[in-house]
Amino acid sequence: MIKTVNQQIIISQAILDLMTKFRNMVNDCIRIGLQNNVTSLKTLSTKSYRYLGRYDIVAYYKIHAISRASGILQNRKKSIKRGFKIKHPYLKNDMIISCYGFKIDWNYEILRIPLGGRSYFDIKLNNFVLKTISTLKVHSFCISALGRLSISYSKPLNEQIECTSIVGVDRNLGNVTVGNIDKTTRYDLQKCIEIIDNTKSIYKSFNRNDNWIRKKIYVKYGNRRKNRVNQILHKVSKNIVNELKENKQGIAFEKLTFIRRLYQKGNGQGNNYRGKMNAWSFAEIKRQIKCKAEWEGIKVIEISSKDTRYTSSLCHKCGKRTLYDKLTRLMSCDDCHLVIDRDVLAAINIAKKGDDAFHRSKCLSGEA
């Protein structure tokens, strides 16, 4: 599990020249990859490494430029397969990335970045960065054109928690339900819906017809909405992971495949409903929980969409599929007379599927 820590720095002219060279190398590699129709790192290295010899730069920056270009080309290839409209790819902003050659001098608390010719650029690290990476393994650094230094780090994987049970996660627009048949907890996300509705009302209040100005204002309030929603999701995911760590439990997610297609234009739904559902951060809450859980050594299981079908309507006792009341969101089973909230039912069914998958993988690894 890899994380990053950030710090604002003042960039010298030497680093600016290095970042410009790195951006030019990435764009040259992208051009060579498009000409030869290659995306893999190995093939792109063969085609472009000799061409990068014209740049007076340390050799391992060339390797990272090829890797960066390969990632951009692979993303372009995925977009073509999905049918998206694409433009000519290129790296727009100056940057520099490397996992080789740099040094951290703990005595002077500085990061030394090689410039070539046995010369270095020294960056004074602040107390927060030093405290974060002091006991962990440092992997790489990245400097952007805005003067932002990012250092990636990780910790050993031998701190895996031996989980005693599995809980399921049911993600909804207004809440996140986590639990199993023994205990279920619901986390309210109504505040996120209020933030989304408030931002939409701000959009509707704009009367200016200038598309360029309108776009800038939309981006400003869109980023504001995203930051406020992500902060709420951060608190919820942190509470979920702390509870999992305390109870020594693993977590199982259902795979929501192509869910955005349910709310496309032309499906017979209203604009307000589609806008609200398309602003649903179901992937962000999963990303945050998964990231925090893996960092703490908690087992994370993802169940396929085939195995988690009808989790909100299948009785977890008898397995019979029944309907639910849309007003109360309660599911009642006629056979076993079970009355339960459909979100709680979905979390229990996902937990049962995750528990089965966990024990299957445990047995296979023991046999091996």
Side-chain angles (χ1 to χ4, degrees), residues 190-325:
Q190 289 295 330
K191 185 65 176 178
C192 297
I193 301 178
E194 295 176 5
I195 293 172
I196 293 170
D197 292 339
N198 184 35
T199 306
K200 288 175 62 179
S201 64
I202 293 174
Y203 287 166
K204 292 179 180 179
S205 65
F206 297 150
N207 296 321
R208 184 155 182 164
N209 295 325
D210 191 331
N211 290 331
W212 187 74
I213 298 294
R214 184 187 293 267
K215 184 178 179 180
K216 289 186 66 176
I217 298 176
Y218 279 10
V219 170
K220 172 186 173 182
Y221 283 97
N223 291 332
R224 175 175 172 268
R225 181 192 72 178
K226 182 182 72 173
N227 294 333
R228 294 180 65 191
V229 170
N230 286 353
Q231 185 64 26
I232 296 173
L233 299 182
H234 165 68
K235 294 179 180 179
V236 171
S237 60
K238 186 177 181 180
N239 293 333
I240 292 173
V241 172
N242 288 338
E243 187 174 353
L244 294 175
K245 186 179 179 180
E246 181 181 352
N247 299 329
K248 295 183 178 181
Q249 294 175 318
I251 191 166
F253 290 95
E254 59 177 333
K255 189 175 182 181
L256 302 178
T257 308
F258 304 122
I259 195 169
R260 295 295 189 201
R261 295 183 181 179
L262 299 177
Y263 314 112
Q264 289 180 343
K265 189 174 182 180
N267 288 356
Q269 301 158 339
N271 292 334
N272 293 332
Y273 178 76
R274 285 192 295 104
K276 185 180 296 185
M277 296 306 297
N278 284 321
W280 175 25
S281 303
F282 65 91
E284 178 63 22
I285 185 64
K286 176 186 174 182
R287 186 194 67 81
Q288 292 193 19
I289 296 174
K290 185 178 179 182
C291 178
K292 294 180 177 65
E294 289 180 346
W295 182 258
E296 296 295 341
I298 298 172
K299 182 69 175 178
V300 178
I301 301 172
E302 186 169 359
I303 314 298
S304 65
S305 56
K306 181 180 179 181
D307 293 334
T308 56
R309 190 171 297 172
Y310 310 125
T311 53
S312 300
S313 57
L314 285 177
C315 178
H316 68 86
K317 288 187 175 180
C318 62
K320 180 181 177 181
R321 186 185 177 193
T322 57
L323 299 177
Y324 68 93
D325 189 352

Side-chain angles (χ1 to χ4, degrees), residues 31-205:
R31 177 178 52 81
I32 294 172
L34 292 175
Q35 290 175 354
N36 296 273
N37 194 22
V38 296
T39 58
S40 67
L41 178 60
K42 182 178 180 180
T43 309
L44 187 61
S45 300
T46 305
K47 298 286 186 182
S48 59
Y49 188 81
R50 186 174 297 178
Y51 180 84
L52 298 181
R54 63 184 64 191
Y55 289 96
D56 183 18
I57 196 172
V58 183
Y60 40 75
Y61 290 134
K62 301 176 184 178
I63 299 174
H64 287 86
I66 297 171
S67 177
R68 178 70 172 168
S70 176
I72 295 174
L73 292 173
Q74 289 175 9
N75 289 335
R76 174 181 177 271
K77 187 177 180 180
K78 290 180 182 178
S79 299
I80 293 175
K81 285 185 177 180
R82 293 174 181 174
F84 297 140
K85 293 182 180 180
I86 59 172
K87 297 180 180 180
H88 185 81
Y90 65 97
L91 185 62
K92 182 179 180 181
N93 298 321
D94 293 340
M95 64 183 307
I96 187 70
I97 304 172
S98 179
C99 62
Y100 305 121
F102 68 94
K103 302 176 183 178
I104 298 180
D105 192 334
W106 298 104
N107 296 325
Y108 296 97
E109 300 178 349
I110 59 175
L111 172 68
R112 308 197 70 192
I113 298 175
L115 301 175
R118 296 185 179 181
S119 60
Y120 290 85
F121 174 67
D122 296 337
I123 299 175
K124 180 68 175 179
L125 301 178
N126 58 32
N127 294 331
F128 175 74
V129 174
L130 291 170
K131 182 181 178 181
T132 303
I133 66 176
S134 59
T135 59
L136 302 171
K137 181 181 179 181
V138 178
H139 288 270
S140 63
F141 74 90
C142 174
I143 302 177
S144 66
L146 299 176
R148 186 177 184 181
L149 169 67
S150 299
I151 301 176
S152 65
Y153 59 94
S154 68
K155 67 179 181 179
L157 295 176
N158 54 7
E159 301 179 10
Q160 191 80 16
I161 295 177
E162 186 66 27
C163 61
T164 57
S165 61
I166 302 293
V167 299
V169 179
D170 181 54
R171 292 165 284 169
N172 301 284
L173 180 63
N175 66 78
V176 175
T177 308
V178 182
N180 51 21
I181 197 170
D182 297 325
K183 179 184 176 182
T184 306
T185 307
R186 177 177 295 178
Y187 297 89
D188 189 22
L189 297 179
Q190 289 295 330
K191 185 65 176 178
C192 297
I193 301 178
E194 295 176 5
I195 293 172
I196 293 170
D197 292 339
N198 184 35
T199 306
K200 288 175 62 179
S201 64
I202 293 174
Y203 287 166
K204 292 179 180 179
S205 65

